[in-house]
Amino acid sequence: MIVRIMGEGQLDVADGHFAELNALDDELLAELESGDEEGFRRTLGALLDAVRRLGAPLPDEVLEPSELILPGQGASLGEVKEMLSDDGLIPG
């Protein structure tokens, strides 16, 4: 799956890694709902780090349609809330 981190670029993440990413997404959703700013910052960082670690960066000259768009590290609680679906940031 092609994942875009806003302000950084695109990565190709194998479907087999989404269980790990969904666990972090569930944690992030709980922190957003409770207004836990510190936990939100920590978990958003962990989620983005996991995508970077598990994904293969696409070259800048290659622009594929992103199947998933994640906020950048500096995104606010409000900005991330606007990006949420019922499943969180990551479907499934």
Coordinates of all heavy atoms in Angstrom, one line a residue:
M1 N 0.8 -1.2 0.0 CA 0.0 0.0 0.0 C 0.9 1.2 0.0 O 1.9 1.3 0.7 CB -0.9 0.0 1.2 CG -1.7 1.3 1.4 SD -2.8 1.3 2.9 CE -4.1 0.2 2.4
I2 N 0.5 2.2 -0.8 CA 1.3 3.5 -0.9 C 0.8 4.4 0.2 O -0.4 4.7 0.3 CB 1.2 4.1 -2.2 CG1 1.6 3.2 -3.4 CG2 1.9 5.5 -2.3 CD1 3.0 2.8 -3.3
V3 N 1.7 4.8 1.1 CA 1.3 5.7 2.3 C 2.1 7.0 2.1 O 3.3 7.0 1.8 CB 1.7 5.0 3.6 CG1 1.4 5.9 4.8 CG2 1.0 3.7 3.7
R4 N 1.4 8.1 2.2 CA 2.0 9.4 2.2 C 2.0 10.0 3.6 O 1.0 10.0 4.3 CB 1.2 10.4 1.3 CG 1.8 11.8 1.4 CD 1.1 12.7 0.4 NE 1.4 12.4 -1.0 CZ 2.6 12.6 -1.6 NH1 3.6 13.2 -1.0 NH2 2.7 12.3 -2.9
I5 N 3.2 10.4 4.0 CA 3.3 11.2 5.3 C 3.3 12.7 4.8 O 4.2 13.1 4.1 CB 4.5 10.8 6.1 CG1 4.4 9.4 6.5 CG2 4.6 11.8 7.3 CD1 5.7 8.9 7.3
M6 N 2.4 13.5 5.2 CA 2.3 14.8 4.7 C 3.6 15.6 5.0 O 4.1 15.5 6.2 CB 1.1 15.5 5.4 CG -0.2 14.9 4.9 SD -1.7 15.6 5.7 CE -1.7 17.3 5.2
G7 N 4.1 16.2 4.0 CA 5.3 17.0 4.2 C 6.6 16.2 4.0 O 7.7 16.8 4.1
E8 N 6.5 14.9 3.9 CA 7.7 14.0 3.8 C 7.8 13.3 2.5 O 8.9 13.2 1.9 CB 7.7 13.0 4.9 CG 8.0 13.7 6.3 CD 8.1 12.6 7.3 OE1 8.7 11.5 7.1 OE2 7.7 12.9 8.5
G9 N 6.8 12.6 2.0 CA 6.8 11.8 0.8 C 6.0 10.5 1.0 O 5.3 10.4 1.9
Q10 N 6.3 9.6 0.0 CA 5.5 8.4 -0.1 C 6.4 7.2 0.3 O 7.6 7.2 -0.1 CB 4.9 8.2 -1.5 CG 3.9 9.2 -1.8 CD 3.4 9.0 -3.2 OE1 4.1 9.0 -4.2 NE2 2.1 8.8 -3.3
L11 N 5.7 6.2 0.8 CA 6.4 4.9 1.1 C 5.5 3.8 0.7 O 4.3 3.9 0.8 CB 6.7 4.8 2.6 CG 7.6 5.9 3.2 CD1 6.8 6.9 4.0 CD2 8.7 5.3 4.0
D12 N 6.1 2.7 0.3 CA 5.4 1.5 -0.1 C 5.5 0.6 1.2 O 6.5 0.1 1.5 CB 6.0 0.8 -1.3 CG 5.1 -0.3 -1.8 OD1 4.1 -0.6 -1.2 OD2 5.6 -1.0 -2.8
V13 N 4.3 0.3 1.8 CA 4.3 -0.5 3.0 C 3.5 -1.8 2.7 O 2.4 -1.7 2.2 CB 3.6 0.3 4.2 CG1 3.5 -0.6 5.4 CG2 4.3 1.6 4.5
A14 N 4.2 -2.9 3.0 CA 3.5 -4.2 2.7 C 2.3 -4.4 3.6 O 2.3 -4.0 4.7 CB 4.5 -5.3 2.9
D15 N 1.3 -5.0 3.0 CA 0.0 -5.2 3.8 C 0.2 -6.0 5.1 O -0.5 -5.8 6.0 CB -1.0 -6.0 2.9 CG -1.5 -5.1 1.7 OD1 -1.3 -3.9 1.8 OD2 -2.1 -5.7 0.8
G16 N 1.2 -6.8 5.1 CA 1.5 -7.6 6.3 C 1.9 -6.8 7.6 O 1.8 -7.3 8.7
H17 N 2.2 -5.6 7.4 CA 2.6 -4.7 8.5 C 1.5 -3.9 9.1 O 1.7 -3.2 10.1 CB 3.7 -3.7 8.0 CG 5.0 -4.3 7.6 ND1 5.7 -5.1 8.4 CD2 5.6 -4.3 6.4 CE1 6.8 -5.6 7.8 NE2 6.7 -5.1 6.5
F18 N 0.3 -4.0 8.5 CA -0.8 -3.2 9.0 C -1.4 -3.6 10.3 O -2.0 -2.8 11.0 CB -1.9 -3.0 7.9 CG -1.4 -2.0 6.9 CD1 -0.6 -2.3 5.8 CD2 -1.8 -0.6 7.2 CE1 -0.2 -1.3 5.0 CE2 -1.3 0.4 6.3 CZ -0.6 0.0 5.2
A19 N -1.1 -4.8 10.8 CA -1.6 -5.2 12.2 C -0.8 -4.3 13.2 O -1.4 -3.7 14.1 CB -1.4 -6.6 12.4
E20 N 0.5 -4.2 13.0 CA 1.3 -3.3 13.9 C 0.8 -1.9 13.8 O 0.7 -1.2 14.8 CB 2.8 -3.5 13.5 CG 3.7 -2.6 14.4 CD 5.1 -2.7 14.0 OE1 5.5 -3.7 13.3 OE2 5.9 -1.9 14.4
L21 N 0.6 -1.4 12.6 CA 0.2 0.0 12.4 C -1.2 0.3 13.0 O -1.4 1.3 13.6 CB 0.3 0.4 10.9 CG 1.7 0.3 10.3 CD1 1.6 0.7 8.8 CD2 2.7 1.2 11.0
N22 N -2.1 -0.7 12.8 CA -3.4 -0.5 13.4 C -3.4 -0.5 14.9 O -4.2 0.2 15.5 CB -4.3 -1.6 12.9 CG -5.0 -1.3 11.5 OD1 -5.4 -0.1 11.3 ND2 -5.1 -2.2 10.6
A23 N -2.5 -1.2 15.5 CA -2.5 -1.2 17.0 C -2.1 0.2 17.4 O -2.6 0.8 18.4 CB -1.5 -2.2 17.5
L24 N -1.1 0.8 16.8 CA -0.7 2.2 17.1 C -1.8 3.2 16.8 O -2.1 4.2 17.5 CB 0.6 2.6 16.3 CG 1.8 1.9 16.8 CD1 3.0 2.1 15.8 CD2 2.2 2.4 18.2
D25 N -2.5 3.0 15.7 CA -3.6 3.8 15.3 C -4.8 3.8 16.3 O -5.3 4.8 16.7 CB -4.2 3.4 13.9 CG -5.2 4.3 13.4 OD1 -5.0 5.6 13.4 OD2 -6.2 3.8 12.8
D26 N -5.0 2.6 16.9 CA -6.1 2.4 17.9 C -5.7 3.2 19.2 O -6.5 3.9 19.8 CB -6.3 1.0 18.3 CG -7.0 0.2 17.1 OD1 -7.5 0.8 16.2 OD2 -6.9 -1.1 17.2
E27 N -4.4 3.1 19.5 CA -3.9 3.9 20.7 C -4.0 5.4 20.4 O -4.4 6.1 21.3 CB -2.4 3.5 20.9 CG -1.8 4.0 22.2 CD -0.4 3.5 22.4 OE1 -0.1 2.4 21.9 OE2 0.4 4.3 23.0
L28 N -3.6 5.8 19.2 CA -3.7 7.2 18.9 C -5.2 7.7 19.0 O -5.5 8.8 19.5 CB -3.2 7.5 17.5 CG -3.1 8.9 17.0 CD1 -2.0 9.7 17.8 CD2 -2.8 9.0 15.5
L29 N -6.1 6.9 18.5 CA -7.5 7.3 18.5 C -8.0 7.5 19.9 O -8.7 8.4 20.3 CB -8.4 6.2 17.8 CG -9.8 6.5 17.6 CD1 -10.1 7.8 16.9 CD2 -10.5 5.3 16.9
A30 N -7.6 6.6 20.8 CA -8.0 6.7 22.2 C -7.5 7.9 22.9 O -8.2 8.6 23.6 CB -7.6 5.4 23.0
E31 N -6.2 8.3 22.5 CA -5.6 9.5 23.1 C -6.3 10.8 22.5 O -6.5 11.7 23.3 CB -4.1 9.5 22.8 CG -3.4 8.4 23.6 CD -2.1 8.0 23.0 OE1 -1.7 8.4 21.9 OE2 -1.4 7.3 23.8
L32 N -6.7 10.7 21.3 CA -7.4 11.8 20.7 C -8.7 12.0 21.4 O -9.1 13.2 21.7 CB -7.6 11.6 19.2 CG -6.4 11.9 18.3 CD1 -6.6 11.3 16.9 CD2 -6.1 13.4 18.2
E33 N -9.4 10.9 21.6 CA -10.8 11.0 22.2 C -10.7 11.5 23.6 O -11.6 12.2 24.1 CB -11.5 9.7 22.1 CG -11.9 9.3 20.7 CD -12.4 7.9 20.5 OE1 -12.3 7.1 21.5 OE2 -13.0 7.6 19.4
S34 N -9.6 11.2 24.3 CA -9.5 11.6 25.7 C -8.8 13.0 25.9 O -8.7 13.5 27.0 CB -8.7 10.5 26.5 OG -7.3 10.5 26.2
G35 N -8.3 13.5 24.8 CA -7.6 14.8 24.8 C -6.2 14.7 25.4 O -5.6 15.7 25.9
D36 N -5.6 13.5 25.4 CA -4.2 13.3 26.0 C -3.2 13.8 25.0 O -2.7 13.0 24.1 CB -4.1 11.8 26.3 CG -2.7 11.5 26.9 OD1 -1.8 12.4 27.0 OD2 -2.5 10.3 27.1
E37 N -2.8 15.1 25.1 CA -1.9 15.7 24.2 C -0.5 15.0 24.2 O 0.1 14.7 23.2 CB -1.7 17.2 24.5 CG -0.7 17.9 23.6 CD -1.3 18.4 22.3 OE1 -2.5 18.7 22.3 OE2 -0.5 18.5 21.4
E38 N 0.0 14.7 25.4 CA 1.3 14.1 25.5 C 1.3 12.7 24.9 O 2.2 12.3 24.1 CB 1.7 14.0 27.0 CG 3.1 13.5 27.2 CD 3.5 13.5 28.7 OE1 3.2 14.4 29.4 OE2 4.2 12.5 29.0
G39 N 0.3 11.9 25.2 CA 0.2 10.6 24.6 C 0.0 10.6 23.1 O 0.6 9.8 22.4
F40 N -0.8 11.6 22.7 CA -1.0 11.8 21.2 C 0.3 12.1 20.5 O 0.6 11.4 19.5 CB -2.0 13.0 21.0 CG -2.0 13.6 19.7 CD1 -2.6 12.9 18.6 CD2 -1.3 14.8 19.4 CE1 -2.5 13.5 17.3 CE2 -1.3 15.4 18.2 CZ -1.9 14.7 17.1
R41 N 1.1 13.0 21.0 CA 2.4 13.3 20.4 C 3.3 12.1 20.4 O 3.9 11.8 19.3 CB 3.1 14.4 21.2 CG 2.5 15.7 21.1 CD 3.1 16.5 19.9 NE 2.1 17.5 19.5 CZ 1.6 17.6 18.3 NH1 2.0 16.8 17.4 NH2 0.7 18.4 18.1
R42 N 3.4 11.3 21.5 CA 4.2 10.1 21.5 C 3.8 9.1 20.5 O 4.6 8.5 19.8 CB 4.2 9.6 23.0 CG 5.1 8.4 23.2 CD 4.9 7.8 24.6 NE 3.6 7.5 24.9 CZ 2.8 8.1 25.8 NH1 3.2 9.1 26.5 NH2 1.5 7.7 26.0
T43 N 2.5 8.8 20.5 CA 1.9 7.8 19.6 C 2.0 8.1 18.2 O 2.3 7.3 17.3 CB 0.5 7.3 20.1 OG1 0.6 7.0 21.5 CG2 0.0 6.2 19.3
L44 N 1.7 9.4 17.9 CA 1.8 9.8 16.5 C 3.3 9.7 16.0 O 3.5 9.2 14.9 CB 1.4 11.3 16.3 CG 1.5 11.9 14.9 CD1 0.7 11.1 13.9 CD2 1.1 13.4 14.9
G45 N 4.2 10.0 16.8 CA 5.6 9.8 16.5 C 6.0 8.4 16.3 O 6.7 8.0 15.3
A46 N 5.4 7.5 17.1 CA 5.7 6.1 17.0 C 5.1 5.5 15.7 O 5.7 4.7 15.0 CB 5.2 5.3 18.2
L47 N 3.9 6.0 15.4 CA 3.2 5.5 14.2 C 4.0 5.9 12.9 O 4.2 5.1 12.0 CB 1.8 6.1 14.1 CG 1.0 5.8 12.9 CD1 0.8 4.3 12.7 CD2 -0.4 6.5 12.9
L48 N 4.4 7.2 12.9 CA 5.2 7.7 11.7 C 6.5 7.0 11.6 O 7.0 6.6 10.6 CB 5.3 9.2 11.8 CG 4.0 10.0 11.7 CD1 4.3 11.5 11.9 CD2 3.3 9.7 10.5
D49 N 7.2 6.8 12.8 CA 8.4 6.0 12.8 C 8.3 4.6 12.3 O 9.1 4.1 11.5 CB 9.0 6.0 14.2 CG 9.6 7.3 14.6 OD1 9.8 8.2 13.8 OD2 9.9 7.5 15.9
A50 N 7.2 4.0 12.7 CA 6.9 2.6 12.2 C 6.7 2.6 10.7 O 7.2 1.7 10.0 CB 5.7 2.0 12.9
V51 N 6.0 3.5 10.1 CA 5.7 3.6 8.7 C 7.1 3.8 8.0 O 7.4 3.1 7.0 CB 4.7 4.7 8.3 CG1 4.7 4.9 6.8 CG2 3.4 4.4 8.8
R52 N 7.9 4.7 8.5 CA 9.2 4.9 7.9 C 10.1 3.7 8.0 O 10.8 3.3 7.0 CB 9.9 6.1 8.6 CG 9.3 7.4 8.4 CD 10.1 8.5 9.2 NE 9.3 9.7 9.3 CZ 8.8 10.1 10.4 NH1 9.0 9.5 11.6 NH2 8.1 11.3 10.5
R53 N 10.0 2.9 9.1 CA 10.9 1.8 9.3 C 10.4 0.6 8.4 O 11.2 -0.1 7.9 CB 10.8 1.4 10.8 CG 11.5 0.1 11.2 CD 11.5 -0.2 12.7 NE 10.3 0.1 13.3 CZ 9.3 -0.8 13.4 NH1 9.4 -2.0 12.9 NH2 8.2 -0.6 14.1
L54 N 9.1 0.4 8.3 CA 8.5 -0.7 7.6 C 8.3 -0.5 6.1 O 8.2 -1.4 5.3 CB 7.2 -1.1 8.2 CG 7.2 -1.5 9.7 CD1 5.8 -1.6 10.3 CD2 7.9 -2.8 9.9
G55 N 8.3 0.8 5.7 CA 8.0 1.1 4.3 C 9.3 1.4 3.5 O 10.3 1.7 4.1
A56 N 9.2 1.2 2.2 CA 10.3 1.5 1.3 C 9.9 2.8 0.6 O 8.9 3.0 0.0 CB 10.4 0.4 0.2
P57 N 10.8 3.8 0.8 CA 10.5 5.1 0.2 C 10.5 5.1 -1.3 O 11.3 4.4 -1.9 CB 11.7 6.0 0.7 CG 12.4 5.2 1.8 CD 12.1 3.8 1.6
L58 N 9.5 5.8 -1.8 CA 9.4 5.9 -3.3 C 10.3 7.1 -3.7 O 10.3 8.1 -3.0 CB 8.0 6.2 -3.7 CG 7.0 5.0 -3.5 CD1 5.6 5.4 -3.9 CD2 7.5 3.7 -4.1
P59 N 11.0 7.0 -4.8 CA 11.8 8.2 -5.3 C 10.9 9.4 -5.5 O 9.7 9.3 -5.8 CB 12.3 7.7 -6.6 CG 12.2 6.2 -6.6 CD 11.0 5.9 -5.7
D60 N 11.5 10.6 -5.2 CA 10.7 11.8 -5.4 C 10.1 12.0 -6.8 O 9.0 12.6 -6.9 CB 11.6 13.0 -5.0 CG 11.9 13.1 -3.6 OD1 11.2 12.5 -2.7 OD2 13.0 13.8 -3.3
E61 N 10.8 11.5 -7.8 CA 10.2 11.7 -9.1 C 9.1 10.7 -9.5 O 8.4 10.9 -10.5 CB 11.4 11.5 -10.2 CG 12.0 10.2 -10.2 CD 13.2 10.0 -9.3 OE1 13.5 10.9 -8.5 OE2 13.8 8.9 -9.3
V62 N 8.8 9.7 -8.6 CA 7.7 8.8 -8.8 C 6.5 9.3 -7.9 O 6.7 9.5 -6.7 CB 8.1 7.4 -8.3 CG1 6.9 6.5 -8.4 CG2 9.2 6.9 -9.2
L63 N 5.4 9.6 -8.6 CA 4.2 10.0 -7.8 C 3.1 9.0 -8.1 O 2.5 9.0 -9.2 CB 3.8 11.4 -8.3 CG 2.7 12.1 -7.5 CD1 3.1 12.2 -6.0 CD2 2.4 13.4 -8.0
E64 N 2.8 8.2 -7.1 CA 1.8 7.2 -7.2 C 0.6 7.7 -6.4 O 0.8 8.5 -5.4 CB 2.2 5.9 -6.6 CG 3.4 5.2 -7.4 CD 2.9 4.6 -8.7 OE1 1.7 4.2 -8.8 OE2 3.7 4.6 -9.6
P65 N -0.6 7.3 -6.7 CA -1.8 7.7 -5.9 C -1.6 7.1 -4.5 O -1.3 5.9 -4.3 CB -3.0 7.1 -6.6 CG -2.5 6.8 -8.0 CD -1.0 6.6 -7.9
S66 N -1.7 7.9 -3.5 CA -1.6 7.4 -2.1 C -2.9 6.8 -1.6 O -4.0 7.4 -1.7 CB -1.2 8.6 -1.1 OG 0.0 9.2 -1.5
E67 N -2.8 5.6 -1.1 CA -4.0 4.9 -0.6 C -4.3 5.3 0.8 O -5.4 5.1 1.3 CB -3.8 3.4 -0.7 CG -3.6 2.9 -2.2 CD -3.1 1.5 -2.3 OE1 -3.9 0.6 -2.2 OE2 -1.8 1.3 -2.4
L68 N -3.3 5.8 1.5 CA -3.4 6.3 2.9 C -2.6 7.5 3.1 O -1.4 7.6 2.6 CB -2.9 5.1 3.8 CG -2.9 5.4 5.3 CD1 -4.3 5.7 5.8 CD2 -2.3 4.2 6.0
I69 N -3.1 8.5 3.7 CA -2.4 9.8 3.9 C -2.4 10.0 5.5 O -3.4 10.0 6.1 CB -3.1 11.0 3.2 CG1 -3.0 10.8 1.7 CG2 -2.3 12.3 3.6 CD1 -3.8 11.8 0.9
L70 N -1.2 10.1 6.0 CA -1.0 10.4 7.4 C -0.5 11.8 7.6 O 0.2 12.4 6.8 CB 0.0 9.4 8.0 CG -0.3 7.9 7.9 CD1 0.8 7.0 8.4 CD2 -1.6 7.6 8.7
P71 N -0.9 12.4 8.8 CA -0.4 13.7 9.1 C 1.1 13.7 9.4 O 1.7 12.7 9.7 CB -1.2 14.1 10.4 CG -1.5 12.7 11.0 CD -1.6 11.8 9.9
G72 N 1.7 14.9 9.2 CA 3.1 15.0 9.6 C 3.3 15.1 11.1 O 2.3 15.2 11.8
Q73 N 4.5 15.0 11.5 CA 4.9 15.0 13.0 C 4.3 16.2 13.7 O 3.9 16.1 14.8 CB 6.4 14.9 13.1 CG 6.9 14.8 14.6 CD 6.5 13.5 15.2 OE1 6.7 12.4 14.6 NE2 5.9 13.5 16.4
G74 N 4.3 17.4 13.1 CA 3.9 18.6 13.8 C 2.4 18.8 13.8 O 1.9 19.9 14.2
A75 N 1.6 17.9 13.3 CA 0.1 18.1 13.2 C -0.5 18.2 14.6 O 0.0 17.6 15.6 CB -0.5 16.9 12.5
S76 N -1.5 19.1 14.7 CA -2.2 19.3 16.0 C -3.2 18.2 16.2 O -3.6 17.5 15.2 CB -2.8 20.7 16.0 OG -3.9 20.7 15.1
L77 N -3.7 18.2 17.4 CA -4.8 17.3 17.7 C -6.0 17.6 16.8 O -6.6 16.6 16.3 CB -5.2 17.5 19.2 CG -5.2 16.3 20.1 CD1 -3.9 16.3 20.9 CD2 -6.3 16.3 21.1
G78 N -6.3 18.8 16.7 CA -7.5 19.2 15.8 C -7.3 18.8 14.4 O -8.2 18.4 13.7
E79 N -6.1 19.0 13.8 CA -5.8 18.7 12.5 C -6.0 17.2 12.3 O -6.6 16.7 11.2 CB -4.4 19.1 12.0 CG -4.3 20.6 11.9 CD -2.8 21.0 11.8 OE1 -1.9 20.4 12.3 OE2 -2.6 22.1 11.2
V80 N -5.5 16.4 13.2 CA -5.6 14.9 13.1 C -7.0 14.5 13.2 O -7.5 13.6 12.5 CB -4.7 14.2 14.1 CG1 -4.9 12.7 14.0 CG2 -3.2 14.6 13.7
K81 N -7.8 15.1 14.1 CA -9.2 14.7 14.3 C -10.0 14.9 13.0 O -10.9 14.1 12.7 CB -9.8 15.6 15.4 CG -9.5 15.1 16.8 CD -10.2 15.9 17.8 CE -9.9 15.4 19.2 NZ -10.6 16.1 20.3
E82 N -9.6 16.0 12.2 CA -10.3 16.2 10.9 C -10.0 15.1 9.9 O -10.8 14.9 9.0 CB -9.9 17.6 10.4 CG -10.5 18.7 11.2 CD -10.0 20.1 10.7 OE1 -9.4 20.2 9.6 OE2 -10.3 21.1 11.4
M83 N -8.9 14.4 10.1 CA -8.5 13.4 9.1 C -9.0 12.0 9.4 O -8.9 11.1 8.6 CB -6.9 13.3 9.1 CG -6.2 14.6 8.6 SD -4.5 14.4 8.6 CE -4.2 13.3 7.3
L84 N -9.6 11.9 10.6 CA -10.1 10.6 11.1 C -11.3 10.1 10.3 O -12.2 10.8 10.0 CB -10.4 10.6 12.6 CG -9.3 10.9 13.5 CD1 -9.8 11.0 14.9 CD2 -8.3 9.7 13.4
S85 N -11.4 8.8 10.2 CA -12.6 8.1 9.8 C -13.1 7.3 11.0 O -12.5 7.5 12.1 CB -12.3 7.1 8.6 OG -11.5 6.0 9.1
D86 N -14.1 6.5 10.9 CA -14.6 5.8 12.0 C -13.5 4.8 12.5 O -13.5 4.4 13.7 CB -15.8 5.0 11.6 CG -17.0 5.9 11.4 OD1 -17.0 7.1 11.9 OD2 -18.0 5.5 10.7
D87 N -12.6 4.4 11.6 CA -11.6 3.4 12.0 C -10.3 4.1 12.5 O -9.3 3.4 12.9 CB -11.2 2.6 10.8 CG -12.3 1.6 10.4 OD1 -13.0 1.2 11.3 OD2 -12.3 1.2 9.2
G88 N -10.2 5.4 12.5 CA -9.0 6.1 12.9 C -8.3 6.6 11.6 O -9.0 6.9 10.6
L89 N -7.0 6.7 11.6 CA -6.3 7.2 10.4 C -6.1 6.0 9.4 O -6.0 6.2 8.3 CB -4.9 7.7 10.8 CG -4.9 9.0 11.6 CD1 -3.5 9.3 12.1 CD2 -5.4 10.2 10.7
I90 N -6.0 4.8 10.0 CA -5.7 3.6 9.1 C -7.0 2.8 9.1 O -7.4 2.3 10.1 CB -4.5 2.8 9.7 CG1 -3.3 3.7 9.7 CG2 -4.3 1.6 8.8 CD1 -2.1 3.1 10.4
P91 N -7.5 2.5 7.9 CA -8.7 1.7 7.8 C -8.5 0.2 8.2 O -7.4 -0.3 8.0 CB -9.2 1.8 6.3 CG -8.0 2.4 5.6 CD -7.1 3.0 6.6
G92 N -9.4 -0.4 8.8 CA -9.3 -1.8 9.2 C -9.2 -2.1 10.6 O -8.9 -1.7 11.5

